[in-house]
Amino acid sequence: MGADSGALGELAARLRRLRFERGLTHVALERRAGLGHTTVSQTLNGRKVPTEGTVVALAKALGADPGPLLVLRERAAEEIVEAAVRADDIPFEERYCRYVVERHSDLTVVGLDLRGSHAASWPLEPAYVSLELTSRRDGSLTVVERAEKALAGQQRALIRGLAGSGKTTLVQWLAVTSARRGSIPFVIPLRRLDLKSAPPAPDRFLEAIRCPLAPAQPPDWADRVLKSGRGLLLVDGIDEVPAHRREETKEWLRDLIAAYPRASFLVTTRPTAVPERWLEVAGFAELTVRPMNRKDVLVFATRWHTAAGTEPELEERFKDAVRAQRPLAQLATTPLMCALMCALHRDRRGRLPRSRMELYEAALAMLLGRRDGERGIEAPEGINLTQHEAVQLLQRLAYWLIRNSQAEMEERTALAVLEDVLPAMPTVAGQGDAQQVLTHLVSRCGLLRRPTADTIDFVHRTFQDYLGAKAAVEGLDLGLLVRNAHDDQWEDVVRMAVAHARPGERATLLRHLMARGDQADDHRTRRHLLAMACLEQATELDPEVRAKVEERAAELVPPRGYAEAQKLAAVGPVILDLLPGPQGLPEKEAEAVVHTARAVGGDAALTLLKRYRGCRSPRVISALSASWDSFDTGEFAEEILNHLPADCAITVGSRAALELVSSLPQQSDISFIGDVSADDILAVVDPDRLTSIMLSANQRLNDVVFLRSLPKLRRLRLLQCSEITDLSPLDGLPLTELLIHDTRPHDLRRVAELPELEELNLDLPVRRSHTSSLPGMPKLRRLYVWQRKALRSLTGLDTFDGLEYLAINAPRFPEAEREELTHLPRLAYLTITEQDMPRLAMGPALPQVRELTLVRPSHPVDLTPVGKVFPGLRRLRIFCHWSHQTVVDLSTLATAEPLDVVIAEAKEVLNLDLFPPGKVTIIPGPRY
């Protein structure tokens, strides 16, 4: 962000580039243009604004259109005039930029001033950590970039971020760097403005923020700076403006943009303070601050300790503690909390508490009990509170916010809460009224802040939950905690309440929580798992209660399949504390744990997945690899993919992932999702190692010629690549597997030109036709004809007398028209999707089929026709839809020779006792 490089410089650069492209020497250019050496030299070096005649002559000599060059020349002349007017401004600008650098070169974090007046701040540059910003481009593609890269070239940007996420620090960094690079930053913290009057005009910017240099600024100086494009307006805290005045602030910004279109603007806000696309009409790009990931936390720790001047051993001990304890890592995901933890660790001489409760207690002791005393400050507002008194007041405010489901409270509400409690605290009431006490808490305790001029909130939700839970327990509101335990906003409150409670209260709370879960179908899983998570905080608990909590959790964890994984993930991050493994877990359960962590997402989930990266199970490896798009691209590649086998498949779904492909060990099986060009693909793959490629949802590619550059390619999958209709470039390739799923028809006769093809998988809107629908393929052994987008399926299948495996979609392949399958003597494996079971008997007998797979059959599943249609059947597999309540009755199969049966995701299996042990496998299996 910031001012451009100047039209004169741009003109000179463009002329130099043209000379280079034409291959002309200076002498040759001078001769062609008929101009002197000095004139050409000054023009190409940007030392002087050339005349119009000079520009036209050079353009003609270089074979270029003089129009754009003359426009640049005119702009350069205007800028020279402006610069001449600014000559008297230079001394002030230099003084002002020095002030900005000095004023914003320190980082200050609330509550960390433990060792004198200087300890609350650190130098900006050594301590600053570049945050990640996310943005959406082309309507859907999510881009994650570091702030410097994300903001480069952005003239106007709106930054969203949670409290303590580093928005103000980013503003400081931009102010300092731009002041050093020639731009003129105006830092406008909206909380410092007089919100009772209109937002300031440019000539009052400095006065409005109480800058001491305001009286010294030259007349109309700010107007000239913004008009020239050198001004950078940094507006911090839209959320700190009262809601009813935010539209007025928006109009103020739009007026400024209209008046100064060349100036740069950056605005910050909390995520929910203004709607999405709030400033889109004004040309603002929207970016969001991401929580710090594990790498960011470690970098922050390094820079914090460097800036604070601590010994290296202290830094390493802090990093080890955060790596080892997930709750600590969760707390450290914002700069505010990470700095607090660093300071606490330093203050305790290299030790962090083992539990969150200990951490909160130690933090409160530091902030409330010792902060002002160690600084030599005595009651600046005339209020002197003990730690216990401060906690009692703060927990009342926290509990009000929790009970009312609010993140902020109006100041008048906060005053009413304090007025209600002060009569019971005469020592505090004797020092001042509610207004004075609130002012003291906001300015001295380090836990409250004013997000806007008329509201109060906690600097971190964690402290609000800790203090509110304490108030709930002291107020004997256990019933309220249980009634709200299903709400994820109350999750940490309940966990902290268990920690605060005395043993008897703790047992009562957990008993009621379990009982409430037993009674409720909709929130049973959440309540039972939350009770299990609470055991971590239950240092003393009735053994009988503990056993009952563990018994209920054992019915839910670990997940045994995809359906259970999704249900557990819906519980939220609390489930991550309870997921076991991988040691001792069967393959299916280990895979389901990975699915659960992927669905939850976040750094804690990635930490859990790292435990599984050493598994050799193909299902677990596949689930891990498929999780790439759910996590930070670079970190997942480093922490997970680099540790997986080189032959596992990977899926590339973003530009960031594409850029990392060439550095990954996995090069044999790659899927590309989205509009990736052939050049992009060939630039990152290893043609001598790539054997399988999938192209999905790609509307950019219109041919497959580039695939001929991949000599090892044996497997090709095309999904929703509607611009690719000509398969002739594949002629002669040694492909053994081909998949085409699309919304447009293809000329399937080209498939005959793939002499090695063994497997063909089709889902196309092909009209019903004769045997010409598919050409002869002598080596074809496996055929999938789903045809979900067609009225009917393909015919002529009886020509493939070597076919061993066939998969069909029942609604597109009516039972009465399956006669041709009787002419497939080697057809041993048949898969039918969405079969209406009573209609199955209408089809011909297929005695050659040895294994039948029914996917999402009609329910209840009546297996009566199976024995008649498939008299030679040896194995039956039934995969029900996990969200349906499917019942499978095995009674009709019990009279024949017992089959091997596998049933997945059924609600109930009837007459299972009619089969010998081991002949029927239920997925997920029973818990033991």
Side-chain angles (χ1 to χ4, degrees), residues 617-634:
S617 159
R619 297 177 70 109
V620 175
I621 291 171
S622 177
L624 283 170
S625 174
S627 303
W628 195 6
D629 63 343
S630 299
F631 297 91
D632 172 81
T633 305

Side-chain angles (χ1 to χ4, degrees), residues 57 115 417 430 490-491 735 840 888:
R115 300 182 180 179
V417 171
W490 284 72
E491 177 185 303
L735 294 178
L840 184 62
V888 180

Side-chain angles (χ1 to χ4, degrees), residues 5 100 132 169 173 178 184 219 230 258 307 311 343 345-346 348 447 500 533 535 571 621 709 721 737 786 821 835 856:
S5 59
V100 170
E132 285 185 328
T169 301
W173 179 81
S178 62
I184 306 297
R230 295 186 305 123
E311 60 274 15
H345 182 261
R346 179 188 66 180
R348 292 167 63 99
L447 295 178
H500 283 299
L535 294 185
V571 173
I621 291 171
S709 303
C721 299
E737 298 180 28
W786 306 115
L821 302 187
Q835 175 66 55
R856 301 190 301 277

Side-chain angles (χ1 to χ4, degrees), residues 392-646:
Q392 289 294 310
L393 295 168
L394 289 166
Q395 70 185 41
R396 291 298 188 99
L397 298 174
Y399 196 33
W400 187 95
L401 288 168
I402 292 169
R403 291 198 319 271
N404 290 276
S405 301
Q406 293 191 25
E408 299 176 350
M409 63 197 311
E410 293 184 0
E411 182 172 349
R412 62 183 180 181
T413 303
L415 291 173
V417 171
L418 294 179
E419 287 169 353
D420 183 57
V421 71
L422 282 180
M425 302 178 70
T427 304
V428 178
Q431 299 181 54
D433 59 17
Q435 181 65 68
Q436 291 172 296
V437 172
L438 181 60
T439 299
H440 172 83
L441 291 174
V442 171
S443 61
R444 307 312 317 158
C445 76
L447 295 178
L448 294 179
R449 59 167 290 183
R450 296 181 184 273
T452 67
D454 52 6
T455 59
I456 304 292
D457 75 350
F458 281 79
V459 296
H460 200 282
R461 176 65 186 258
T462 299
F463 287 116
Q464 176 183 308
D465 290 345
Y466 171 89
L467 292 165
K470 188 172 184 294
V473 171
E474 291 179 2
L476 301 179
D477 281 344
L478 303 186
L480 181 65
L481 292 169
V482 171
R483 286 195 299 275
N484 288 281
H486 67 282
D487 187 341
D488 58 0
Q489 296 299 311
W490 284 72
E491 177 185 303
D492 265 358
V493 180
V494 175
R495 295 175 76 170
M496 293 295 100
V498 169
H500 283 299
R502 291 171 295 186
E505 296 167 334
R506 188 177 294 147
T508 298
L509 177 55
L510 290 175
R511 283 195 192 97
H512 290 172
L513 186 57
M514 287 187 291
R516 187 89 173 188
D518 292 342
Q519 298 167 6
D521 290 333
D522 48 352
H523 300 300
R524 175 179 300 171
T525 299
R526 173 179 287 278
R527 287 192 170 96
H528 286 171
L529 291 178
L530 179 56
M532 182 65 183
C534 288
L535 294 185
E536 178 189 4
Q537 312 295 337
T539 53
E540 181 182 349
L541 180 64
D542 182 338
E544 181 182 350
V545 174
R546 184 181 296 272
K548 289 182 177 179
V549 170
E550 292 173 342
E551 178 185 337
R552 283 164 174 78
E555 297 174 358
L556 301 167
V557 178
R560 297 167 297 169
Y562 181 79
E564 291 186 1
Q566 294 301 109
K567 290 179 181 177
L568 291 185
V571 173
V574 65
I575 188 59
L576 299 175
D577 293 329
L578 307 176
L579 292 175
Q583 292 77 17
L585 289 184
E587 180 183 48
K588 188 70 174 177
E589 292 183 2
E591 178 192 21
V593 168
V594 172
H595 284 313
T596 306
R598 174 189 182 181
V600 174
D603 291 339
L606 182 60
T607 301
L608 186 148
L609 292 184
K610 288 170 62 177
R611 302 204 312 251
Y612 283 75
R613 67 191 184 188
C615 290
R616 297 299 89 181
S617 159
R619 297 177 70 109
V620 175
I621 291 171
S622 177
L624 283 170
S625 174
S627 303
W628 195 6
D629 63 343
S630 299
F631 297 91
D632 172 81
T633 305
E635 188 168 11
F636 190 90
E638 179 179 345
E639 300 290 354
I640 304 295
L641 294 181
N642 281 333
H643 300 269
L644 297 184

Side-chain angles (χ1 to χ4, degrees), residues 127-173:
Y128 174 72
V129 174
S130 175
L131 299 174
E132 285 185 328
L133 303 180
T134 62
S135 60
R136 289 195 174 274
R137 298 181 185 170
D138 301 325
S140 59
L141 182 63
T142 299
V143 179
V144 180
E145 295 174 316
R146 291 293 170 183
E148 297 85 348
K149 184 176 181 182
L151 294 174
Q154 297 281 9
Q155 187 182 7
R156 299 166 196 159
L158 173 66
I159 307 294
R160 296 179 185 269
L162 298 171
S165 62
K167 302 185 298 296
T168 298
T169 301
L170 176 61
V171 166
Q172 287 183 247
W173 179 81

